[in-house]
Amino acid sequence: MSTQPKAGAVLFAKDVARLAAFYAQVLAVVPKHAHPEKVVIETGDFLLVIHAVPPAVSAGVEITTPPVLRENVPVKLFLPVRSLAQARLSTERLGGGMKAEAAAWDGPGFRACDGFDPEGNVVQFREALPEVALAS
């Protein structure tokens, strides 16, 4: 049993409930902790905390439909999903989206594709690639 805390990230949101529902459904998990100002979403090795921005800041933030992507930020989350195809359907249904399937790319042991959440945060989703038997 590990004694180290899980890695994680805090994502600040104008609409905590909507953003938490988006990530919980796309990641296929139930939030571990939920309050109006903060929701904790936990996967096997990662905690994602959706935290309300202060009201004074929130008043100056406009979320459009579709959202304006926040591409010029110094951090981008990447999160595991069971299936990129399912994540694509879920993100679109929940007010976000993903790039076309042709934009997906393979890394060591995973396939990845960028998408975005309902508030315009750019996030990369990754599915595990099936293990390939080594040639003799």
Side-chain angles (χ1 to χ4, degrees):
M1 181 173 190
S2 175
T3 58
Q4 291 292 326
K6 290 184 179 186
V10 176
L11 189 58
F12 291 93
K14 179 172 179 144
D15 186 339
V16 172
R18 183 176 188 204
L19 212 56
F22 174 87
Y23 282 103
Q25 289 180 41
V26 172
L27 298 175
V29 296
V30 174
K32 178 178 182 171
H33 173 81
H35 287 289
E37 304 253 331
K38 178 174 58 177
V39 175
V40 177
I41 296 167
E42 182 175 15
T43 67
D45 298 322
F46 188 79
L47 292 174
L48 178 61
V49 179
I50 309 295
H51 197 291
V53 295
V57 174
S58 180
V61 175
E62 180 182 352
I63 305 298
T64 61
T65 303
V68 174
L69 299 188
R70 298 174 182 160
E71 296 177 300
N72 296 320
V73 296
V75 174
K76 175 170 61 173
L77 295 176
F78 63 89
L79 299 170
V81 294
R82 292 184 185 136
S83 157
L84 288 178
Q86 183 59 46
R88 185 170 284 103
L89 294 172
S90 295
T91 59
E92 291 171 4
R93 180 176 49 83
L94 297 165
M98 285 178 66
K99 289 185 176 180
E101 188 176 338
W105 56 276
D106 291 349
F110 66 87
R111 184 160 183 77
C113 192
D114 283 356
F116 59 92
D117 68 25
E119 293 199 3
N121 299 298
V122 176
V123 59
Q124 184 179 95
F125 297 105
R126 294 181 175 187
E127 69 180 2
L129 288 175
E131 292 186 29
V132 177
L134 297 175
S136 301

